[in-house]
Amino acid sequence: NVSSASLIGSSKVNVRAGRVKTNGEEVDQYFDRKSGKKSLQSEGALLVVPSQQDCVAEVEPLHRHSHVDHAFDTLEVQYQQQFSEWSFSMATNQSILLYGLGSKASVLTSFGQYLSNEGDVVSLNGYDPNIDLNHFLDCLDELFCDGSELRNNNSQSSSGKSNIAARVSNKGLAKKAASIAKMYASTRSRPLFVLIHNIDGVGLRNHFAQDTIATLTTNSRKDGSPLIRVAASVDNVNAAMVLWSPQIE
């Protein structure tokens, strides 16, 4: 089963003159203002600024004749042929990291579909600046551990043995992740694949977030192999130098 445990941010809108305008409408209005209604004349030459629609109409035929889509489809098929090898690597104490120019979302999503035949799959949108790892861990707990970690924290809180502020602090996240991972390994037999789009996103690029993700894998070992396995994409070419310590790697 493929499920999603990401936080979706609301669309950005601008309010002007008592009316809500989306970014798309403002772009259209900008090009309309810059369209043929307004022209520039210099030394007898008349220059007409094209509209957005004119630009699209000009570029589309060039894009079709370039066969770029076919080239990308061929490249993605080549990656898909390696999915079985990637899956084997994840079962042998390794993680998968996609890097390079362009979007890796399509390849990572296709890989998730492939992995759904072997275990459960959750997707985390790291590019969302409002991502909340504490909420993500709560989702894992409720979906795969029957909320045992949440009930345990609530019982400790009611007996006065737990500090709520410490529980949701950065250091507390790793402890919470370790508890959930151990519970998963003790009660489950199928692996859980965590797909992270942009592991170097604003909300995940700090040391505490990376340590929490690493804790999920290292504490879910069963028969010598982690049951919680991570596949991610990264956009920053220097991610290895700025994100990970040798312990997290």
Side-chain angles (χ1 to χ4, degrees), residues 141-162:
D141 184 30
E142 293 179 13
L143 287 171
F144 304 105
C145 301
D146 299 324
S148 59
E149 173 66 15
L150 185 59
R151 288 196 303 271
N152 181 51
N153 285 328
N154 288 338
S155 63
Q156 289 183 3
S157 176
S158 61
S159 62
K161 297 180 180 180
S162 175

Side-chain angles (χ1 to χ4, degrees), residues 1-64:
N1 298 325
V2 180
S3 58
S4 176
S6 58
L7 300 179
I8 307 300
S10 59
S11 302
K12 293 183 178 179
V13 297
N14 295 322
V15 180
R16 293 179 182 173
R19 180 176 175 271
V20 177
K21 297 180 182 180
T22 64
N23 291 338
E25 290 176 336
E26 289 192 343
V27 170
D28 291 337
Q29 290 183 7
Y30 170 82
F31 279 98
D32 287 340
R33 289 196 298 268
K34 298 292 184 182
S35 64
K37 298 177 183 178
K38 196 175 227 182
S39 60
L40 302 176
Q41 189 166 5
S42 176
E43 297 181 358
L46 184 64
L47 176 62
V48 177
V49 180
S51 66
Q52 183 184 25
Q53 291 76 15
D54 293 335
C55 293
V56 172
E58 186 75 19
V59 171
E60 278 187 337
L62 298 176
H63 178 75
R64 286 196 299 269

Side-chain angles (χ1 to χ4, degrees), residues 132-135 137-138 149-150 153 162-176 208 212:
D132 186 343
L133 265 186
N134 188 58
H135 178 66
L137 293 177
D138 285 340
E149 173 66 15
L150 185 59
N153 285 328
S162 175
N163 185 330
I164 299 299
R167 180 172 63 86
V168 298
S169 67
N170 288 328
K171 183 175 287 189
L173 281 178
K175 184 177 180 181
K176 182 175 182 177
F208 295 106
T212 298

